[in-house]
Each structure stands twice: as structure tokens, then as C-alpha cells.
Amino acid sequence: MSSITSEELNYLVFRYLQESGLLHSAFVLGYEAGINKCNIDGNLVPPRALITFVQKGLQYLEMEANLSNSDVDMDEDFSFLQPMDLITKDVCELRQMVKEKKKNLNGDRDKENDVDRGHEIEHGRVKEKERLDREKERERDKERVENEKEPEKQHESHPDKEMLTVQEEKVNSKPEENGVLQGEKGPEPMDIATTSASESFEIPNSDVTILEGHTSEVCACAWSPAGSLLASGSGDSTARIWTIADGTSNGGAQNGPLNVLVLKHVKGRTNEKSKDVTTLDWNGEGTLLATGSYDGQARIWSTNGDLKCTLSKHKGPIFSLKWNKKGDYLLTGSCDKTAIVWDVKTEEWKQQFEFHSGPTLDVDWRNNVSFATSSTDNMIYVCKIGENRPIKTFAGHQGEVNCVKWDPTGSLLASCSDDVTAKIWNMKQDKYVHDLREHSKEIYTIRWSPTGSGTNNPNQQLILARLIPYFLYWICSIYFKYFGTTERANLPLHLACSDVEL
């Protein structure tokens, strides 16, 4: 008999975590177990495979306990054991339990049989009476049908007259009888959308450029603030800087030579899982690109693709990194539960912040010296360079806080979480000022619009946007939707997404 390998079991657990929405746990297991290196074709593994496998195993144990050489007769229902019994006891103990339960069950059945014999005669009488009643009812129904056929035959001889009478009644009916007053129009019809919201905003193929080159999933992408450069980071251990020409797109994948720089995070093979590029960010001038990797290192690159420096201190994967507006500090958040501020000029770490009790999932600068961090511990901390304690603590989420984002003025902080809510916080009070609960699934990322005070569009309303899981998966599938324009600095980049609930 063939047995399941540890590689196969790891993959089943990995798929179970993904299907259950435990994406961070799946991410860590996938890395440590080397799921990407296994030879299992995921397309052949059905959904709920692990649950089905465990259920079949429990059924096998139960059948083995019920079927023995001395007791080969099987009851119609042999579920004498509970799942925890099957897991915690060996086969001999299980067989003893089954034997005792069968003995008790047989005794109960003997008592029930004695009672049943007393009811059999009465039950037979009741059945016979019910049969006679049904026969009488069928006779009455037959007579009723025959009586109803007579008037129908009379109507069939004058069909035109009957139709004319109905039409005259419709013409002569008063408006009041139809619910509309005379001289008054009927109710305005409601506007009914015949297409879903995602179809309403579908981008035509003529406006889409597909950038191909990565050999694994794309984890992050970001536009340069100073030109038509787009950076992307992937699980293939590379980041890429794409030069996007102004003008309309060619309506498909790039067929001709494309100006792209490949930033390799490992020498030789480019599929080493520990070198996944998990996050990236441009500095304010668009002259430097910072990338964070699963190996716990941050790297800074020039627009020419040259590696300027490597920043090493984290003891776990980097999940988020951000430049401050001035461009002299780089902030990183890691799975090692810490956030680190790096002095870019000296290429040394300036301060490490160890406040969270779980992995740090996101970081965002409030100004040049203070910032917010979020974590799997459901907490948000506002920290400041030079301070050894958080200057503000926000507690209110009931699940992992996946993303935090300051508004352009630095006065409001938005956060989103696995608890299906987004919240807005103010530095002047401890409790959130807004609790947004419209989503029905986990919220993975959140963004403020570049409008309102402190932006180039001060007269436009400030807007907050949120993304749920399936939005994020779609964006990270290397379909970069680009609208060709020469006014990129004034027009936001729009991405078309589909909602998991549609």
C-alpha cells in the first residue's frame, strides 16, 4: 500500500490554509516547506482536499474497528465512534468500545421489538383505513373532473365572443381602477442596472498594455513619481523597472523589444524562494528604488539598475518598506515583529522599534520623523525617531491589521483589517473616529486619494478607497493597466478589478 509523503502532506496543509483565508500562515509554510520546489501539479488537487483526506481516514479507522474476524455482520449504521475517539485511541480500544456499544444497542433493540410487536396489529389497521380513504378520495376527484369538463366544452364553441368581451373590459376600464389618476402620468420606471459594477468599468483591450517577463507571481508594483517608470517585484527573485512610453497602448502584450531593467536579488538561479521581492517603493524624487525581500534584506537601486547598497538587520521577511518625504530615511517592517529606520546616507540602521507581539505587516510615514506600524497582533503604534515608546497607541481592530495609511496632511490615519472593517483614527483621541463596515470579506489594503489639503488638488474632496482579497489577487497577476497620457503627474492610475461578491 502506498503512503503519503511529507511533501504531499505539506502541500495539502498549504492549500487548506489558503482556502481558509489564512494567507500569512500559508505564506510562511510555503516558504519553510519549499512548496514552490515540489513537483505537485496544483491543478490536479481538488478543493478541500485535506478535509476529504482526513474524513476518509477517520472512516477507514471506524470501519476497521467495526469489522473484525469474530464479528463480520455489519449494522446498517455503524457510527459508534466519535472523531476524537478515532484520533486518540488505538484499534484494540476502538473495537472494545464498539463491542460494548453494540451489546447495549442490541439490548435496546430487543426492548423496542417487544413494543413494536404490540403496535404492529394496530398499525396494520390504520394503514388499511388510510388505503380505503385514499380510494374514496380518488373517486370524488374523478367525479369533480367530469363535472368541470361540461362548462369548458360550452366555452370552446364561442371563443371569439369571450375574447372580445375581455378586450372591451380593458378599453372601458377607468384610469382609477389601474392605480393612476386621470390626467396623471404613471410612476417613473426605476433605473435598473443590467450589468455588474465590474462590467460597467471594464477597460477595453485597446487601452491595455500587458508587461510580460516575470516567471513567478508579481507581489508589488509602483509608479515612479518622476517619470514613466514602473517598478514590479516578483517571486522569481527579481524586481523590474519598465519604461512605459507616452501615448496610447498597443492593445495587448509587448511584442517588440521593451526597455526593461532586471534587478536580480540572487546570483545564478532566479527561483530561490527566500529571495522573493515582497515590497518596493520609490523615493520622492524618483531617483532611487528600495526593495524588500523574503530574506530579510532591503536593497536600494538606481534607475539604471545598479545596486547602491544592501541593508541587513532584520531576522525575518520584510513585508513593507517606505521612504520618508525628505528621502533621508527608509522605514522597513518585518516578520520579526520589528520596524527599523535606516539612514540612507550612512547605510546604517538608526533605530529599531520592538513594540509589536506579532509580525509587522505595514508601515507608513506621518512626516519625516514619525510613522505608524500595524501588525498581526491587532495593534497600531505611532512611533517617533528618538523615542523609546510609542507616542500613540490605537487599539480597536479584532483581527490582523493589514495596512495603515496617513492622509496627505498627516492628521488622519486609515487602517484595514481581517476583521472586515476599515477604521479612521485621529491623533487627538484614542478611539477611532470612523468605523467603516461595508465589506463582507477581509480588507487587505487601503488608499487615500491625492486630493484635499496638502496636495496638488486642494479643492477636491478627500476620498478613501479599500481593496478586498480578490481585488489584490487580480492586481498582482502582472496585468498592468496603463492609460497613455502626457499628464501622468496630474492623473491617477486606474486599475480595473472584480469583486469576490459579484
Side-chain angles (χ1 to χ4, degrees):
M1 180 180 68
S2 60
S3 60
I4 187 171
T5 65
S6 59
E7 182 182 73
E8 292 168 338
L9 182 59
N10 286 338
Y11 186 82
L12 291 178
V13 175
F14 173 76
R15 281 286 295 270
Y16 169 76
L17 293 174
Q18 279 191 325
E19 294 169 359
S20 302
L22 305 174
L23 301 181
H24 297 299
S25 300
F27 191 59
V28 172
L29 175 63
Y31 164 67
E32 293 184 346
I35 297 298
N36 67 305
K37 298 179 182 178
C38 70
N39 298 321
I40 299 174
D41 185 356
N43 296 323
L44 302 179
V45 180
R48 296 170 51 87
L50 178 62
I51 296 176
T52 302
F53 185 80
V54 173
Q55 288 175 338
K56 288 184 177 180
L58 294 178
Q59 292 172 355
Y60 175 83
L61 283 174
E62 189 162 7
M63 291 180 66
E64 185 180 19
N66 279 274
L67 293 174
S68 63
N69 294 330
S70 60
D71 186 12
V72 295
D73 58 318
M74 276 290 296
D75 293 300
E76 191 174 42
D77 182 5
F78 57 90
S79 296
F80 298 114
L81 304 173
Q82 298 298 320
M84 286 306 299
D85 295 332
L86 297 172
I87 294 173
T88 57
K89 295 178 173 56
D90 59 30
V91 175
C92 294
E93 292 175 311
L94 293 176
R95 285 179 175 170
Q96 184 62 29
M97 291 176 63
V98 171
K99 185 176 181 180
E100 292 175 357
K101 290 187 178 182
K102 281 185 176 181
K103 183 178 180 181
N104 295 334
L105 182 61
N106 290 332
D108 294 338
R109 284 178 177 174
D110 291 339
K111 295 178 181 179
E112 291 174 359
N113 290 336
D114 293 338
V115 176
D116 290 341
R117 291 190 192 99
H119 290 291
E120 282 180 357
I121 298 175
E122 183 65 24
H123 183 68
R125 292 172 181 170
V126 173
K127 285 287 186 181
E128 181 64 20
K129 186 177 182 299
E130 291 177 351
R131 185 182 66 80
L132 295 174
D133 290 341
R134 285 196 297 269
E135 290 181 357
K136 292 179 180 179
E137 184 66 27
R138 282 196 292 268
E139 289 295 330
R140 286 194 294 268
D141 291 340
K142 186 176 181 181
E143 293 176 1
R144 190 182 305 114
V145 171
E146 291 295 332
N147 294 334
E148 289 176 353
K149 287 183 178 180
E150 292 300 325
E152 289 179 2
K153 292 178 180 179
Q154 296 178 2
H155 283 295
E156 287 175 1
S157 61
H158 305 285
D160 296 337
K161 183 177 180 181
E162 183 177 349
M163 185 178 297
L164 180 61
T165 303
V166 174
Q167 291 175 347
E168 288 176 350
E169 289 177 355
K170 291 182 179 180
V171 172
N172 296 329
S173 62
K174 296 181 180 180
E176 290 85 352
E177 295 174 353
N178 294 326
V180 182
L181 296 177
Q182 191 169 4
E184 181 179 325
K185 294 183 178 180
E188 292 293 331
M190 295 179 63
D191 292 330
I192 301 175
T194 57
T195 58
S196 66
S198 62
E199 292 173 343
S200 299
F201 295 97
E202 183 178 357
I203 301 175
N205 291 335
S206 59
D207 291 337
V208 177
T209 296
I210 302 176
L211 307 180
E212 297 178 328
H214 283 297
T215 59
S216 186
E217 68 274 11
V218 178
C219 306
C221 60
W223 288 102
S224 167
S228 55
L229 298 180
L230 179 67
S232 60
S234 170
D236 62 8
S237 306
T238 72
R240 293 173 186 249
I241 300 177
W242 312 78
T243 301
I244 311 297
D246 289 336
T248 57
S249 92
N250 60 2
Q254 290 285 351
N255 296 322
L258 183 66
N259 188 0
V260 56
L261 297 173
V262 180
L263 315 179
K264 294 185 178 181
H265 287 60
V266 59
K267 296 180 179 179
R269 294 173 55 192
T270 59
N271 59 349
E272 186 178 335
K273 205 62 181 175
S274 65
K275 303 294 183 178
D276 282 10
V277 180
T278 55
T279 181
L280 47 80
D281 190 41
W282 292 93
N283 67 346
E285 297 177 352
T287 56
L288 296 174
L289 175 68
T291 60
S293 176
Y294 212 83
D295 61 3
Q297 295 182 335
R299 296 170 174 82
I300 298 178
W301 311 77
S302 70
T303 55
N304 296 325
D306 298 326
L307 179 61
K308 306 291 288 185
C309 65
T310 301
L311 309 175
S312 303
K313 183 172 177 61
H314 281 299
K315 297 180 180 179
I318 294 177
F319 287 156
S320 178
L321 86 175
K322 301 284 174 60
W323 292 89
N324 67 346
K325 187 174 294 186
K326 189 176 179 180
D328 56 343
Y329 292 139
L330 181 67
L331 174 64
T332 56
S334 170
C335 187
D336 64 7
K337 309 177 185 180
T338 73
I340 297 179
V341 174
W342 304 85
D343 188 324
V344 177
K345 186 175 181 180
T346 62
E347 300 180 4
E348 298 288 341
W349 65 277
K350 184 174 182 64
Q351 186 173 351
Q352 187 170 23
F353 299 82
E354 304 178 71
F355 304 142
H356 287 294
S357 59
T360 303
L361 299 181
D362 197 25
V363 295
D364 194 50
W365 289 96
R366 182 188 180 205
N367 50 42
N368 286 319
V369 293
S370 65
F371 56 90
T373 64
S374 67
S375 168
T376 60
D377 62 9
N378 308 348
M379 300 296 294
I380 301 171
Y381 294 122
V382 181
C383 310
K384 186 176 181 180
I385 297 175
E387 299 289 339
N388 294 323
R389 301 294 302 167
I391 62 176
K392 193 71 176 180
T393 299
F394 293 130
H397 280 296
Q398 302 302 314
E400 298 182 5
V401 185
N402 296 312
C403 182
V404 286
K405 201 62 159 178
W406 292 98
D407 79 323
T409 65
S411 58
L412 297 176
L413 178 67
S415 62
C416 61
S417 166
D418 281 359
D419 65 8
V420 199
T421 73
K423 302 184 189 297
I424 299 178
W425 314 80
N426 191 313
M427 287 293 288
K428 296 180 180 180
Q429 63 186 69
D430 294 332
K431 190 177 180 181
Y432 48 80
V433 295
H434 294 289
D435 189 17
L436 310 177
R437 294 178 172 269
E438 289 80 6
H439 282 302
S440 60
K441 295 288 184 180
E442 300 90 341
I443 309 174
Y444 274 19
T445 189
I446 196 167
R447 289 293 184 272
W448 294 96
S449 63
T451 54
S453 178
T455 70
N456 294 329
N457 306 289
N459 297 324
Q460 297 185 25
Q461 184 180 7
L462 184 64
I463 300 174
L464 182 67
R466 296 157 287 162
L467 258 61
I468 63 177
Y470 279 63
F471 282 5
L472 186 64
Y473 294 153
W474 194 92
I475 291 175
C476 290
S477 63
I478 196 52
Y479 285 86
F480 298 125
K481 309 287 184 175
Y482 168 69
F483 291 79
T485 174
T486 58
E487 299 178 336
R488 187 174 298 101
N490 297 324
L491 293 177
L493 174 69
H494 295 277
L495 293 172
C497 309
S498 61
D499 195 321
V500 66
E501 299 170 347
L502 295 179

